Amino acid sequence: MTTATELPSLHESVAYVRQSGKPTAAEVLREARTAGRLALQPRCGVGSHPQMSTLLRDIEQHAAPDVLSVTIDAHTRLGRFDHARSVLDRNPADLNGYPLVTHGWRRGRELNEAVRAPLEIRHGSPDARVLFRTAVAAGITSFEGGGISYNLPYSKDVPLRRSLAAWREVDAACGELAELGLVVDRELFGTLTAVLMPPSVSLAVSVLEAVAAAREGVRCISVAYPQGGHAEQDVAALRAIPLLAARHLPAGVEVHPVLHEFMGVYPRERAHAEDLILYGALVARYGGATKLITKTYQEAYGIPDTRAIIDGLHLAARANSPLLAGWRLDEARIAEELEWILAEVDALVTPVLDSGLGLYDAIAAAFADGTLDIPFSASRHARSAVIPGRAEDGAIRILSAGALPLPRALRDRNTDALRTRPTDLYEALTKDIDHFPRLFGE
């Protein structure tokens, strides 16, 4: 296990990044946005160091993504570094990601130097302090997660106050790095539990994490949103992100909308899966996303191989084609969705921000009483009383709001859209989750 005393100082890590001459993730995102081009990033991560290096090199050589991922294994995510070491020594293939802390920051630098694209750490840690310091020492300039989004979807019994305090230290370190001249891209995992996520719930959590990060000095924030499957609703949600940033974040904080391609049940037929991949890429482009996290045609079968990752990147890149500039959506419908999304987010975050409590205490208290909530949470620290549903047109609505402080007009709009659903809740949710395979007749 890497300890704090074995790590280079933040000053030394900044010097390493500067000397490398490699662009940071924040610089790459800014360049893509300025050029009006959708930046692409795959998911990838294996336990073996040589195999991880080869995987990154192969993806870059054959698909040239803008940002590359180092997905972290489950033991490291939970701080079980000794377990990660045991599995790594026995059989690295048994790990579901790369154990960076166990491999150490020097090997992390080897990964960083193996490719031209900046790396991002993707994980799921309620307490990412050791992992973050190791990543910074490795020269990695993008780090995903937050005290809500990397706790409630993943962990059963980590109190929010504990995860928020740990992530406050991560954000404070990012603020210190920014003062030293290194801006780390902090990507917020608005995807949450990924399945049937109402846009306002995703965005409300991201707003609160973004406010917390900005207060600690974070200068670059990527707000990731999960594709729900309804084009106008998803485009509206992406367009809401800069508006919410202008409303809640201080000047000088750079904000990038990010779309996660659909994270629910994928079609099994390759052609159908590729239709969905291109559809998501177009939604990202027309929603004004800076970056797209891509998927593959093998999603229905498990972890994709390298060829599928490369093919998925090539397909998603087609969204940047000038030939698709004429693709049009219903702008009136987008404007209507945007108005309602902003109203719902405001109803959720304003009581927290205006509570008179400290932000972290207010967030924990809101989840305790259900005025903040997420569906299908693994954690006992969220009520999971919010029940989503998919309307006939494919948009995701809120069937049951639980204790969310949504005004009557917002509640009625959601329930009215879901009146034609099956009365059996299990049947209805199964149908909603299987939306795309059913759409393709699979």
Side-chain angles (χ1 to χ4, degrees):
M1 167 185 164
T2 301
T3 65
T5 56
E6 295 171 340
L7 293 167
S9 69
L10 294 183
H11 286 80
E12 291 169 329
S13 297
V14 171
Y16 165 72
V17 173
R18 286 174 173 167
Q19 291 166 4
S20 73
K22 181 173 180 171
T24 66
E27 290 167 345
V28 166
L29 294 175
R30 188 181 309 122
E31 180 184 352
R33 184 168 65 182
T34 299
R37 180 179 58 81
L38 181 63
L40 301 178
Q41 178 180 353
R43 294 174 174 85
C44 60
V46 294
S48 161
H49 180 69
Q51 290 180 4
M52 187 73 222
S53 298
T54 299
L55 178 61
L56 293 173
R57 287 192 187 99
D58 286 347
I59 293 172
E60 181 165 82
Q61 178 183 352
H62 296 288
D66 299 272
V67 181
L68 278 160
S69 300
V70 178
T71 302
I72 302 300
D73 70 288
H75 292 304
T76 301
R77 297 175 193 182
L78 297 177
R80 298 166 58 182
F81 306 122
D82 291 339
H83 287 78
R85 167 58 66 190
S86 296
V87 179
L88 183 65
D89 289 343
R90 184 177 65 249
N91 183 14
D94 288 340
L95 292 166
N96 64 342
Y98 185 81
L100 176 63
V101 174
T102 303
H103 281 301
W105 60 272
R106 291 178 179 85
R107 281 192 165 182
R109 287 190 179 184
E110 290 176 5
L111 295 183
N112 193 46
E113 293 166 5
V115 290
R116 295 182 298 276
L119 302 181
E120 179 180 56
I121 297 295
R122 312 188 70 86
H123 48 118
S125 308
D127 183 346
R129 290 174 292 180
V130 175
L131 177 61
F132 175 76
R133 287 297 304 273
T134 308
V136 170
I140 296 172
T141 56
S142 184
F143 199 79
E144 186 185 33
I148 306 169
S149 61
Y150 264 9
N151 177 351
L152 300 183
Y154 290 98
S155 300
K156 182 176 180 179
D157 195 15
V158 177
L160 269 168
R161 283 183 173 84
R162 185 190 305 170
S163 61
L164 289 166
W167 277 92
R168 186 176 191 174
E169 291 188 33
V170 171
D171 288 332
C174 288
E176 186 176 348
L177 287 165
E179 292 296 325
L180 295 172
L182 175 61
V183 174
V184 174
D185 170 47
R186 280 282 291 108
E187 185 172 318
L188 308 179
F189 190 66
T191 300
L192 300 174
T193 48
V195 179
L196 297 177
M197 187 56 56
S200 58
V201 172
S202 167
L203 294 173
V205 168
S206 289
V207 165
L208 294 172
E209 288 189 340
V211 170
R215 289 182 180 179
E216 298 301 322
V218 173
R219 305 276 181 83
C220 181
I221 297 174
S222 292
V223 177
Y225 166 79
Q227 181 187 358
H230 183 278
E232 282 85 3
Q233 185 180 50
D234 290 334
V235 166
L238 288 168
R239 292 183 184 179
I241 291 170
L243 301 177
L244 291 166
R247 184 177 300 177
H248 294 288
L249 300 181
V253 177
E254 194 167 8
V255 175
H256 296 284
V258 174
L259 181 70
H260 283 258
E261 288 203 300
F262 188 67
M263 294 183 70
V265 179
Y266 248 70
R268 299 179 71 84
E269 291 288 334
R270 175 169 177 168
H272 298 160
E274 289 183 333
D275 287 348
L276 182 51
I277 291 167
L278 181 58
Y279 179 52
L282 289 169
V283 165
R285 174 176 175 174
Y286 287 92
T290 303
K291 185 177 73 172
L292 177 70
I293 310 297
T294 61
K295 283 284 194 174
T296 78
Y297 58 82
Q298 293 179 346
E299 298 300 322
Y301 298 93
I303 298 174
D305 60 29
T306 305
R307 183 70 255 173
I309 293 170
I310 291 167
D311 288 345
L313 284 162
H314 283 305
L315 180 57
R318 301 281 65 77
N320 284 318
S321 170
L323 294 177
L324 295 173
W327 192 58
R328 291 290 179 264
L329 295 172
D330 186 338
E331 287 294 335
R333 176 67 184 276
I334 293 170
E336 179 186 4
E337 288 288 338
L338 179 59
E339 180 181 354
W340 286 102
I341 288 171
L342 291 172
E344 289 185 10
V345 174
D346 184 64
L348 297 178
V349 303
T350 298
V352 178
L353 296 175
D354 294 347
S355 69
L357 302 172
L359 178 59
Y360 301 98
D361 287 338
I363 291 171
F367 275 101
D369 64 24
T371 51
L372 283 177
D373 201 3
I374 63 174
F376 313 126
S377 174
S379 174
R380 63 185 57 180
H381 299 283
R383 293 192 176 188
S384 293
V386 174
I387 302 175
R390 195 179 290 277
E392 280 191 343
D393 63 358
I396 296 174
R397 306 298 181 197
I398 299 174
L399 177 65
S400 174
L404 295 182
L406 297 178
R408 172 68 64 179
L410 298 178
R411 287 176 179 256
D412 288 348
R413 179 175 183 265
N414 279 277
T415 54
D416 287 347
L418 298 171
R419 291 196 183 280
T420 59
R421 289 165 52 80
T423 55
D424 182 272
L425 181 59
Y426 179 81
E427 177 189 352
L429 287 174
T430 300
K431 179 181 177 182
D432 294 342
I433 290 169
D434 289 340
H435 175 69
F436 281 109
R438 290 171 61 91
L439 181 67
F440 287 111
E442 294 187 8

